[in-house]
Amino acid sequence: MSYTIALNFEDGVTRFIGCKEGETVLDAAYRQKVNLPMDCSDGVCGTCKGHCEQGEFDMGDEYLEEALSDEEAAEGQVLTCQMVPSSDCVIQVPVASSLCKTQVGKIEGTLAVVEQLSEDSIELAVDLDEGAELAFLPGQYIHIDVPGGEGHRSYSFSSKPGERRATFLIRNIPNGVMSGYLTRQAKVGDRLSLTGPLGSFYLREITRPVLMLAGGTGLAPFLSMLEQLAEKGSDQPMHLIYGVNKDDHLVKVDALDAFAEKLPTFTYSTVVVDEASQHPRKGYVTHHMDAEVLHDGDIDVYLCGPPPMVDAVLKHFDAEGIVPQSFHYEKFTPNQAPGEAS
Ligand SMILES: Cc1cc2nc3c(=O)[nH]c(=O)nc-3n(C[C@H](O)[C@H](O)[C@H](O)COP(=O)(O)OP(=O)(O)OC[C@H]3O[C@@H](n4cnc5c(N)ncnc54)[C@H](O)[C@@H]3O)c2cc1C
Ligand code: FES
């Protein structure tokens, strides 16, 4: 029996390692050439401290209170030199990946599908090379090099982890470099280089109602999360509010319907900004967060979209005094201008 441990480093890099039954995370990492911080490896110094976000494990009782206090343990802090997982786990490691002599993975693939779903969005599917390992947490993103050497762009996976075909939902930005490649040059068979996975915007264990807020192609990470949830199931209510600027920017509604059918606790609503729209819900996602989806703040909120939309939602929560149990967000911040480091 082996468990998959996601190690999330401070610089946003995630490395996945296998951990054998009875093995400590520190030993498993070392075996796979990831040198996690350590000093004593005996539960004495506290150097290997991290935070376990998900998963079951045993810490034993051999470590010292000075290395990990009861209070820290109750908050989910762990000593990786003592921690023996009994399920898959996600651990935050409070140092950069380079300090652990590991780095972000590089993967090659072949463009399998490029389809303009609307004036505003493009679907891209990449078949990863045979043997290329691509583990990620639903919600995370990857860098895709722009063919022709113009740097890279970041894209959230819309597919679930573990598939050889990775998919992405990409906004078509007039005069955008990647947008230009995808709409004018890209063809099936093109080779693409990807680097990742990255990011701390990923689905945590669901223990209370969830509110998902998506703006435009910010829907992508939610499709990935919902793919996984549809497989695993959940008893908790989950509601997605998906906002776009114009009617024909609404895409993947059939996929959302399919998720709602598979996941009885999942509901969603769509919102359109355009004043000329005949859509039943108009305005911004913040106009449609009814009390029944806010559960008096006893919710985990996931928010993703372009920076102005994310900022507006954060401001709204603040102004209304809504304090959710947890708040996770991803801003689709544009790349630096060509010439700047990217
Ligand atoms: C963590 C992360 C995840 C991301 N995931 C996704 C994703 O899943 N789907 C997706 O569509 N995008 C995503 N993005 C944004 C994406 O990386 C690119 O910035 C975007 O696709 C534009 O690339 P481009 O080469 O077409 O345009 P560029 O050549 O980079 O930009 C052209 C011009 O458009 C402006 N611009 C760029 N983006 C926007 C925007 N959103 N709104 C208005 N003006 C803009 C730029 O400032 C520039 O002036 C993500 C960004 C980050 C940081
Ligand atoms: S390395 Fe010293 S407590 Fe883990």
Side-chain angles (χ1 to χ4, degrees):
M1 184 85 185
S2 174
Y3 304 110
T4 301
I5 312 298
L7 299 170
N8 284 334
F9 296 93
E10 199 180 53
D11 51 352
V13 170
T14 303
R15 267 288 313 264
F16 287 81
I17 57 165
C19 190
K20 294 181 203 160
E21 190 85 46
E23 194 176 27
T24 66
V25 170
L26 186 76
D27 287 346
Y30 190 69
R31 189 167 52 76
Q32 285 152 92
K33 302 191 172 38
V34 180
N35 297 355
L36 289 177
M38 63 84 87
D39 195 355
C40 67
S41 82
D42 234 0
V44 174
C45 67
T47 310
C48 64
K49 206 178 286 174
H51 187 265
C52 183
E53 298 229 309
Q54 264 177 54
E56 308 289 320
F57 57 88
D58 183 14
M59 282 283 296
D61 52 12
E62 303 275 294
Y63 62 88
L64 297 188
E65 167 82 12
E66 288 77 16
L68 185 77
S69 67
D70 290 348
E71 206 174 38
E72 288 173 319
E75 284 167 2
Q77 303 224 43
V78 290
L79 299 172
T80 58
C81 74
Q82 303 297 302
M83 174 186 182
V84 176
S86 51
S87 77
D88 295 346
C89 292
V90 178
I91 303 171
Q92 298 277 6
V93 182
V95 295
S97 56
S98 54
L99 291 176
C100 300
K101 299 211 166 32
T102 186
Q103 53 187 329
V104 70
K106 287 196 180 304
I107 307 135
E108 302 284 318
T110 302
L111 192 155
V113 178
V114 57
E115 187 188 349
Q116 192 142 359
L117 300 181
S118 74
E119 166 207 29
D120 187 57
S121 59
I122 303 157
E123 183 159 56
L124 170 69
V126 182
D127 284 343
L128 304 166
D129 287 358
E130 199 96 38
E133 268 186 47
L134 185 56
F136 62 92
L137 300 168
Q140 285 194 305
Y141 69 95
I142 199 158
H143 289 155
I144 304 183
D145 288 355
V146 182
E150 294 198 59
H152 65 254
R153 297 292 180 269
S154 312
Y155 294 110
S156 308
F157 293 95
S158 58
S159 50
K160 70 174 190 299
E163 307 277 292
R164 263 208 60 214
R165 177 165 290 187
T167 62
F168 305 91
L169 189 59
I170 297 181
R171 179 156 171 211
N172 181 18
I173 293 174
N175 305 319
V177 172
M178 185 63 107
S179 304
Y181 160 72
L182 291 172
T183 49
R184 289 194 291 275
Q185 288 159 260
K187 54 184 188 322
V188 171
D190 283 1
R191 297 288 293 160
L192 294 172
S193 299
L194 303 89
T195 314
L198 295 150
S200 55
F201 183 75
Y202 53 82
L203 187 67
R204 272 62 176 184
E205 199 176 332
I206 296 189
T207 54
R208 58 176 72 84
V210 174
L211 177 61
M212 301 170 169
L213 303 168
T217 51
L219 180 67
F222 295 111
L223 294 173
S224 178
M225 294 177 186
L226 287 162
E227 284 271 5
Q228 195 181 67
L229 284 167
E231 227 173 56
K232 281 186 164 179
S234 172
D235 295 341
Q236 295 290 343
M238 292 171 280
H239 186 72
L240 166 75
I241 310 181
Y242 166 35
V244 294
N245 288 329
K246 293 188 193 166
D247 290 319
D248 64 357
H249 293 180
L250 281 173
V251 296
K252 293 284 170 190
V253 175
D254 49 348
L256 296 178
D257 286 337
F259 290 132
E261 219 165 275
K262 278 193 214 152
L263 265 170
T265 56
F266 170 69
T267 51
Y268 79 95
S269 53
T270 52
V271 184
V272 176
V273 176
D274 186 4
E275 286 194 0
S277 164
Q278 298 300 310
H279 197 275
R281 282 168 305 278
K282 297 231 301 253
Y284 295 101
V285 294
T286 45
H287 299 150
H288 300 277
M289 294 193 315
D290 304 330
E292 69 202 56
V293 299
L294 289 171
H295 297 271
D296 287 326
D298 187 26
I299 42 170
D300 293 325
V301 177
Y302 291 83
L303 161 66
C304 182
M309 177 262 182
V310 172
D311 291 339
V313 174
L314 293 173
K315 225 166 137 185
H316 177 85
F317 270 78
D318 211 25
E320 296 294 312
I322 308 163
V323 185
Q325 293 286 343
S326 76
F327 205 124
H328 312 275
Y329 64 88
E330 185 84 280
K331 281 187 194 180
F332 282 178
T333 313
N335 258 61
Q336 291 111 323
E340 289 179 49
S342 61

